[in-house]
Amino acid sequence: MNDPTPAGVVAPTPIRIFDTTLRDGEQSPGCSMTPQQKVVMARALAELGVDVIETGFPASSESDREAARLIARELRAPTLAVLSRCLPADIEASARALEIAANPRLHVFISTSPLHREHKLRMSKAQVLEATAACVAQARRHVDDVEFSTEDGTRTEREFLAEVIGAAIAAGATTINVPDTLGYTTPDEMRALFAFLIETVPGARGVVFSAHCHDDLGLAVANSLAAIEGGARQVECTVNGIGERAGNCAMEELVMALKVRGAWYGADTGIDTRRLVPTSQLLSRLVGMPVQRNKAVVGANAFAHESGIHQHGMLRHRGTYEIMHPEDVGWPDSKMVLGRHSGRAAFSHRLRALGYALEDAQLEQAFAGFKALCERQRVVEDRDLEALMHGDVNGEGFRLASMTVSDRGQRASAQVELSDPDGRRVAESALGDGPVDALFAALSAATDVELTLESYQVHSVGIGADARGEANLSVRCGDTAYEGTGTSRDVIEASALAWLDIANRALRARGKRNEERETREKLAALSH
């Protein structure tokens, strides 16, 4: 096989990705998964190209034992690891869970910091050393691939940490993991610690050193990158950065940092980066934890541009405001979001893409209408632009005339009175599990529009007497996603206005589809 690296170019150092989404990630409050869900996620991790998948902690529950067995039965290519305390019974339970794995790894750990030794383990340094050697040797009798972790390693005395790691290597450990369990350390400290351990511990050059960083101070990815600079060749991370407390090192961020800044780090992974976004979205669906919009790489806003200055630069050359291509991580494309910060360049560009070629005077008039529309809704979609160009963006949709909401008794009730597009009054009432649920049900009955709520947020805009409530909705109407905003001194009324904003746009889209269908039917009739 030919060397793919051109002559004179140094090949990047391979970094193993050890994914602990199914173990440490699942320990994030509210993120537990069933064994079957873990199998689904494990498949996705294997397709992503993860080197090592940590499937669980068998001694902790029957669910973890079942998940480990199911995944081992199905996935034969990646290394499958399970976690175990340095306790003989834990190690035996882990070994049984790995019996059918094609590439098993037994991952044992013990706390090493003074605080943990005294208050958690109640063990002396000598006892920790003895347990380390005995349990690594026991694990090695079951499998050839043994990883050893020093819990709270970054808060452990350097000399003792080196002594414990030396004992683990002598007992047969093949991977040494030094966790920043509390997310306490800094990149400079992390880099120096790994360099010190690899330089001074006997046998260190013959094993793989690994970093496992938590994000309590927001430094998990930075500390993991620093560990690589110090000599680590494996990083333990999770999809979307989920995990205990503030989470773990986010895999997608680490992988893309190495990819984009490859010349600096001289390292890379075997991850298929095009699958990062689909894998992130799968996990979000499985555990019910949405990804924040401004999350690096996989957040909805990661490649979205609304500022007029940024949009103008992007239209000239995407490199002006993007350091990686959205397609490389699994997004279909960059998003030019039209809103109140957008300028004429992006507005004109989007109109041309929709087939509208305007003279300067027409463009100025349309742009003024666009800016007015931006004062009523945060995001202007293509369907809104088409309505603007056809002059019906301000058409008479449903308008709120009055509303009454009551939350007494077992269920809340709402009564609404609307003015329909023809000026007639429409009144409906409904019950719901809460005032907002009842309100939306009444509005749906009055407008004959079914919206599936995906996100609902309210917050205050302004200070003191000038403060107003703002409601933001994200919904689906059929296969179409919508976002709407409403503002009022009363947050319930603001919610109703946001709902009607979306409903009116959905009705305009429905009307346009009906017109297009009727046109097609007439043309078909004429052709016959």
Side-chain angles (χ1 to χ4, degrees), residues 2 12 91 129 157 159 258 327 352 361-362 376 384 388 430 432 489 495:
N2 294 329
I91 293 170
L129 285 167
E157 309 95 314
E159 292 71 21
L258 293 177
E327 303 90 337
R352 287 196 301 273
Q362 293 174 313
R376 298 195 297 277
D384 302 315
L388 177 68
R489 292 194 179 277
S495 302

Side-chain angles (χ1 to χ4, degrees), residues 218-461:
L219 296 173
V221 174
N223 284 333
S224 299
L225 291 168
I228 290 172
E229 292 181 312
R233 294 298 173 256
Q234 175 180 285
V235 174
E236 307 197 355
C237 45
T238 62
V239 175
N240 295 341
I242 67 169
E244 289 275 11
R245 304 181 311 282
N248 291 55
C249 169
M251 182 210 293
E252 58 278 354
E253 296 177 22
L254 175 93
V255 166
M256 291 312 296
L258 293 177
K259 185 72 66 177
V260 173
R261 299 306 310 276
W264 175 265
Y265 289 105
D268 201 1
T269 70
I271 295 295
D272 180 356
T273 63
R274 296 166 299 178
R275 300 200 61 81
L276 287 171
V277 170
T279 307
S280 163
Q281 293 173 343
L282 172 64
L283 177 64
S284 180
R285 291 193 300 271
L286 288 175
V287 300
M289 179 180 284
V291 177
Q292 66 192 59
R293 296 186 67 86
N294 64 329
K295 169 85 166 62
V297 182
V298 296
N301 288 351
F303 296 90
H305 309 268
E306 182 180 337
S307 162
I309 295 172
H310 287 213
Q311 290 177 336
H312 189 262
M314 282 288 294
L315 292 172
R316 295 292 182 87
H317 190 290
R318 67 190 302 173
T320 54
Y321 287 103
E322 284 185 354
I323 59 172
M324 50 190 161
H325 292 170
E327 303 90 337
D328 291 342
V329 300
W331 289 112
D333 200 355
S334 304
K335 290 193 295 186
M336 292 291 193
V337 179
L338 293 181
R340 67 179 62 176
H341 302 108
S342 301
R344 286 174 179 78
F347 175 69
S348 175
H349 179 268
R350 194 63 208 144
L351 284 182
R352 287 196 301 273
L354 293 173
Y356 298 100
L358 304 183
E359 299 294 334
D360 290 346
Q362 293 174 313
L363 178 62
E364 286 302 313
Q365 183 179 0
F367 186 66
F370 162 72
K371 283 296 188 180
L373 182 58
C374 290
E375 294 302 316
R376 298 195 297 277
Q377 60 190 68
R378 286 189 171 184
V379 176
V380 176
E381 305 284 358
D382 286 353
R383 52 186 169 266
D384 302 315
L385 291 179
E386 290 179 344
L388 177 68
M389 297 310 298
H390 287 89
D392 60 356
V393 71
N394 293 313
E396 292 295 323
F398 281 96
R399 296 181 182 255
L400 183 65
S402 67
M403 53 174 271
T404 303
V405 178
S406 174
D407 197 13
R408 299 192 186 97
Q410 293 184 335
R411 301 198 76 193
S413 63
Q415 298 82 39
V416 298
E417 186 175 352
L418 307 179
S419 172
D420 75 6
D422 297 321
R424 295 187 297 265
R425 291 298 175 106
V426 180
E428 288 287 351
S429 61
L431 299 176
D433 292 331
V436 174
D437 184 48
L439 173 64
F440 290 171
L443 290 170
S444 179
T447 60
D448 191 30
V449 175
E450 290 288 338
L451 302 180
T452 301
L453 186 65
E454 294 191 337
S455 172
Y456 170 63
Q457 297 177 335
V458 293
H459 59 272
S460 177
V461 178

